[in-house]
Structures are given as structure tokens and as C-alpha cells.
Amino acid sequence: MSFSALGLCTKLLNTVAEKGYTKPSPIQQEAIPAVLSRRDVIAIAQTGTGKTASFSLPILHLLEDKPHPEANNVRALIIAPTRELAAQVAANVDTYSQSMNLRTTAVFGGVRIEPQKFELEQGVDILIATPGRLVDLYKQGVINFEHLEILVLDEADRMLDLGFIEHIHHIQSLLPEKRQTLLFSATFTKEIKALATTMLNNPVTIELAKAQDHIESITQVLHPVDKERKNALLLHLIKNNDWSQILVFTRTKRGADSLRNELEQAGIAAESIHANRTQQARTQALDGFKSGRIKVLIGTDLAARGIDIEQLPCVINVDLPYVPEDYIHRIGRTGRASAKGLAISLFSDDESKQLRAIERFIGRQFKKVFVPGFASTPRPPVAKAEEDLYGNFEADDKSKRKGKSKERKKRR
């Protein structure tokens, strides 16, 4: 199936083609026609499956060729759980709408509110917002939802995890009852089902895969190590493997900053990203990581959503998360769009409870690979050596690239 078969306007089809997208993803194939038909939609899909385009493209189509909204009015509202995700969605919407005469803006905390108020005073076709800043702006009288046509809840499960349920219900009470509502979530829990019951009207439900299914393309490795030696093992792994980018997760913000300092002292370009850092610092860290200036980006679970890096080779969990679903969201930054990925977890004995919970959730037991010189007790490694495992991963990746190169030469 091609994008032209989905019913999108010529401007959007041209933009999509210019960006090199030739075939819609499974979520796009199902969601775009449903949104275009003005149905409410529940879509269960992982980050990295093309979900942002699956709601932004049809929204742009539906809003095109209509008069601009009046001052302070909004026609489509996209709510995202974090600043990073809101900024990422806004960037995608700007890209897709580059040939359209539509006004879009994003509002979130951590930056000055006055420029956001000015944008809203002009009237906005598509507003991307985090819940807290959206409520603040409404209370200041700079947003009018009277003519709102479309509401999108992006990564609804994460919004519930972060405690935004009261904000969501408050925002819902401000919106017109007659509207189109789209709910996107990585998981379909009973809490999400309950939220959908209160907010959507006779929705189309699209559920492509369970969260666990996404990790099948990711090589997962567990390295047992004493808690006090985790940072030393991380440094060892970084220095002994040729990874271009590494996304590292810690359990605490203080741990992320401490690890960043330790890596920088060892001569490795690293930066941390978490809720205590200013929005400008978080944006600069993410931009530096995407450009390659920063090799290691260290974040907490908050950073798991909103980090969108193509072909990220490796994710390392210095600490195991308390919530099994967060493990999926963490390692889901690699192995995206059918690419191969590598996820490494550094495990200490005090994390046995978290490990068992994760193994139950993903339906498999981890293979423990003891790194020579770092094993908590002398035990034979499961694999011959760490270089064999990572070497195979890299070799597979290189052979894949060589195969593609040969195919290109044949076509020439």
C-alpha cells in the first residue's frame, strides 16, 4: 500500500515523498483512514512505529483550506506527557505542514510563558501541549476551546504514570462535547480502557502488537556486577565497544548527573537529561546527542519518552527500573522500525525483585553474561567473552550494510 491510497491531499503526499517515505507503516495504514473518516480512535502502538504521522497527517488534511481560527482559539489540541515529546511532535507537525498555511505551536513548562501566550493570542490551528502548562495558560485566559474540533492524547499510558489524570479530566471538562478524540498508548491497561470510556465516542480500536512484541528485534544482555562497580563496568563497556551513540538509564536524577561527571573525567563526551534540568539544557543535550557531539546521553525514565533517535545502536540500563513497563520503554529506543538493537542491563543482587518482575512481564529469562574482571563472584561466563556477543551483533549489522551496498552496485 502507498500513501496515495490513504486519501491524503496532494500537498501532504508531496511532503511525505520529499522526506523519503514510500510506504505507510501498519499503524498508519489503519489509523489514517479512520481519522479521515472523523471517527474516534484508540490506537495501541509503540514509539518508533510511525504513530505521530498516523494522527498528524490526517489532522493536517482535515484542517487544510479552512479559515484560520480567531484570536486565542484552537482547532486541534495534541496533549503529550513530557516536554521532549511535545517538542518532538511539534517538530514533526511543522515538517509535514511546511507547504500548508496552518499555524502550529507548542507550549510546555521550563521556558518563558510570555512567547507562548503571544502565539496563542494570534489563534492556533494545532496546539501541542503538556498538561500542566496547558492548564496554566487556560487559567490566564489566553486559550479558548469553543471551536475545538480534534483532541489527541499521545502516550496516554505515560500521562497516567506521571499522575496527570486529574489534569486530563479537568481539560476534558473545558472542551466541547462534540469533537473527534484520538487516544494513542503503548499499552492497553484497564486504566487506559477506563479513560477511553469517559472520553471517546464509539471509537475504532487499533491494536497492532503487545509491548513485549516490539523487543523481539533487540538483543538483550544481563551483566551481573557488584553495585559499587556498575559505573566502572559501564566505562569498560563504552571504551571496549565501537558504539557511535549510547543511551544510558539510571534510576535517579542525582545518579545521572554523577555518572555524567565520571564519564567526562574519563574523556567521554556525556550529558544528562532529566526533570531537574532546564528546558534549554535538556534541548541542548538532546541536540548534541543527535548530532554526535555527545556520545553518551544519561537519563531517567522520564527521558524514555520523547527521545527519538534513528538507528540508535545501544541502550544500557545502569539500574533496573522498578516498573516492568519502563524496561520496555527504555530499551524501545533501540531496534526501531525493524532495525536491530542491543540492550544491556547491569544487574546487582539487590535488584533481584525488579529482575523477576521484568522477566515475568516479557515472558523470558535473561541470559547472564559475566564480564571478566567484573563478576561479583568467580563464575564461568555464559558466553565465551563479551567481545563475542557484541562482535556478533556488530558483524551482523555490518554484513547487512555490505549486502545493501552490493544490491546498490547491482542496480547501477
Side-chain angles (χ1 to χ4, degrees), residues 176-316:
E177 289 188 13
K178 188 178 180 181
R179 65 173 189 272
Q180 183 179 15
T181 303
L182 316 174
L183 185 153
F184 284 75
S185 177
T187 57
F188 202 20
T189 62
K190 61 181 181 180
E191 291 80 11
I192 292 297
K193 293 177 182 177
L195 179 65
T197 300
T198 65
M199 299 194 70
L200 285 81
N201 179 34
N202 190 27
V204 175
T205 300
I206 303 167
E207 189 171 5
L208 295 183
K210 295 179 181 179
Q212 296 91 322
D213 295 340
H214 170 62
I215 64 175
E216 294 302 319
S217 62
I218 302 172
T219 299
Q220 300 174 70
V221 183
L222 190 77
H223 288 321
V225 62
D226 288 335
K227 185 176 182 178
E228 296 75 16
R229 301 201 68 198
K230 281 190 173 184
N231 288 4
L233 175 54
L234 175 67
L235 184 60
H236 170 82
L237 295 177
I238 292 173
K239 288 186 173 181
N240 284 274
N241 291 280
D242 189 25
W243 297 315
S244 56
Q245 292 172 308
I246 308 130
L247 179 59
V248 174
F249 284 102
T250 61
R251 192 175 297 133
T252 66
K253 293 171 280 192
R254 179 180 295 180
D257 289 340
S258 175
L259 182 56
R260 174 200 62 199
N261 295 337
E262 192 168 332
L263 292 180
E264 286 184 335
Q265 289 173 5
I268 296 171
E271 191 52 274
S272 62
I273 181 169
H274 52 70
N276 281 4
R277 305 211 63 192
T278 67
Q279 184 57 41
Q280 182 180 7
R282 290 161 72 168
T283 300
Q284 289 176 346
L286 193 54
D287 288 345
F289 188 57
K290 288 182 177 180
S291 68
R293 180 174 55 84
I294 295 170
K295 182 173 183 176
V296 182
L297 185 65
I298 309 155
T300 56
D301 285 311
L302 176 65
R305 306 291 185 96
I307 294 181
D308 188 6
I309 309 292
E310 292 185 6
Q311 304 299 321
L312 180 63
C314 182
V315 170
I316 300 179

